[in-house]
Amino acid sequence: MATPPMIPLADGSAIPQLGFGTWQIPVEQCAEVVGRAIRLGYRSIDTAQGYGNEAGVGEAIRRSGLPRNAFTVTSKLRNGGHRRDLALAAFDQSLRDLGLEQIDLFLIHWPVPSQDKYVEAWRTLIELKQEGRVRSIGVSNFDPAHLDRIIGESGVAPVVNQIELHPRYQQRDVRAYHKARGIVIESWSPLGPGGANAGFWKDFGLGRGGSLLDDPVIAGIARKYGKTAAQTILRWHLEQGLVVFPKSARADRMTENWNLFDFSLDSADMQAMAALDRSDGRIGAEPASFALLF
Ligand code: NAD
């Protein structure tokens, strides 16, 4: 079974380049679904307080019988928990729900600039790391302006930023900013619009665009390698050093999304996919204005 490469982080630790996402997996199914992912080989699991399924992730890890250090567990601070006391309480609850003593990677889920508390949240994450309760700390959905502010005010840079990124929304300038500062990008919704994720954003008037999985350019490249559209898109992320954790509750798709290490895209494929970038390709909310306080 192929093992995904490890991506080094600026704090000296590392994370698997391919993991398993759990957004929209209900807690009552989560232990079973994540358990299946673990049996297929996945060892890095992305969850969040806002997904309401940390208990299922913890249950799957315990049931696997594998040692704790076989796993990389990521969780994220909820938007309504940025104030220091609330962040500490929410973090304690995550540890209880996961049944863990330490979280490998803990992120601020969204900056929510309207409540102007993300610097306080970031300082609290720095404390948690200093106490050894978190191995690595990072952020999610932070624009360069938000990153500049936390780095400027705390002197500590996040090791990762988890942002929307896929062939329809390639964020080239943003990637250059991260590269210059040694911040690893994790691509959320790596397969782009088309599934339950876009359905969620439609309630906010977002989630536009047809399925990226039906794109003819991607279909052509996939045919060339005898791979699926999903595998081709995920390989596009891997070629560029991006970290991905596709989500599916279906065993066939989980297997498909794991089998990415027996082919690679050539420069013509990468050029063809570079042309799929669209100025209106974002499916999710704008980090500067998203203010849902879950
Ligand atoms: P995804 O890109 O992993 O999948 C998109 C849709 O495609 C899903 O609805 C899925 O059911 C479907 N799909 C998966 N594999 C497929 C395959 N092989 N063939 C056909 N369809 C397939 O979307 P996602 O779940 O939005 O993102 C992945 C993970 O990123 C999430 O589960 C979550 O862990 C994380 N995430 C984080 C944020 C954030 O704000 N930080 C936001 C969204 C997602």
Side-chain angles (χ1 to χ4, degrees):
M1 184 192 304
T3 311
M6 296 297 284
I7 299 291
L9 303 179
D11 63 4
S13 61
I15 46 169
Q17 194 176 9
L18 174 64
F20 186 72
T22 66
W23 181 36
Q24 298 177 310
I25 299 179
V27 65
E28 59 278 7
Q29 289 169 27
C30 192
E32 195 196 319
V33 171
V34 173
R36 196 179 301 141
I38 292 170
R39 285 192 295 283
L40 286 170
Y42 291 87
R43 294 290 179 268
S44 175
I45 317 288
D46 183 83
T47 180
Q49 293 170 352
Y51 301 170
N53 60 16
E54 290 170 300
V57 171
E59 181 67 30
I61 288 173
R62 275 191 302 284
R63 281 192 207 159
S64 75
L66 294 167
R68 167 68 182 90
N69 65 9
F71 294 99
T72 301
V73 178
T74 298
S75 192
K76 315 185 193 83
L77 179 66
R78 62 187 185 86
N79 286 354
H82 283 193
R83 216 175 66 199
R84 181 177 177 276
D85 58 333
L86 298 177
L88 291 173
F91 179 79
D92 287 346
Q93 188 62 47
S94 278
L95 286 188
R96 277 197 295 276
D97 288 347
L98 287 161
L100 299 176
E101 290 182 0
Q102 189 197 43
I103 292 177
D104 300 293
L105 179 60
F106 195 57
L107 313 177
I108 301 175
H109 206 147
W110 291 86
V112 200
S114 56
Q115 64 179 357
D116 196 19
K117 285 268 180 292
Y118 64 84
V119 177
E120 183 171 335
W122 180 241
R123 289 190 197 283
T124 311
L125 264 60
I126 294 170
E127 263 182 62
L128 290 168
K129 178 169 165 59
Q130 282 164 350
E131 290 167 0
R133 303 179 78 204
V134 184
R135 193 184 74 196
S136 298
I137 51 173
V139 294
S140 177
N141 299 302
F142 273 46
D143 288 337
H146 310 130
L147 291 166
D148 283 343
R149 185 156 170 225
I150 57 168
I151 297 168
E153 293 196 27
S154 73
V156 179
V159 293
V160 314
N161 188 13
Q162 185 180 122
I163 56 176
E164 178 180 344
L165 203 152
H166 44 76
R168 285 255 178 85
Y169 189 58
Q170 303 190 12
Q171 303 234 50
R172 291 201 194 94
D173 294 353
V174 166
R175 277 151 69 184
Y177 169 102
H178 286 72
K179 194 167 180 204
R181 287 159 185 79
I183 303 170
V184 169
I185 294 183
E186 299 185 331
S187 306
W188 67 246
S189 295
L191 297 173
N197 56 359
F200 171 86
W201 292 114
K202 284 210 167 76
D203 290 346
F204 296 87
L206 301 160
R208 296 168 298 260
S211 172
L212 184 60
L213 293 163
D214 297 334
D215 186 281
V217 171
I218 292 172
I221 298 170
R223 250 193 319 275
K224 178 168 140 189
Y225 296 103
K227 289 286 179 179
T228 66
Q231 288 171 319
T232 304
I233 297 170
L234 293 170
R235 192 65 226 178
W236 175 88
H237 291 268
L238 299 181
E239 302 294 354
Q240 301 175 93
L242 298 161
V243 173
V244 281
F245 23 84
K247 166 255 160 186
S248 179
R250 282 177 45 170
D252 55 342
R253 289 177 172 176
M254 285 161 61
T255 305
E256 189 181 318
N257 297 345
W258 184 251
N259 288 324
L260 306 176
F261 299 101
D262 56 355
F263 78 118
S264 55
L265 302 180
D266 63 29
S267 58
D269 305 327
M270 293 303 285
Q271 256 176 32
M273 288 182 73
L276 300 179
D277 198 20
R278 289 193 195 166
S279 57
D280 64 348
R282 186 197 283 279
I283 48 175
E286 297 258 3
S289 58
F290 189 58
L292 188 72
L293 289 189
F294 53 80

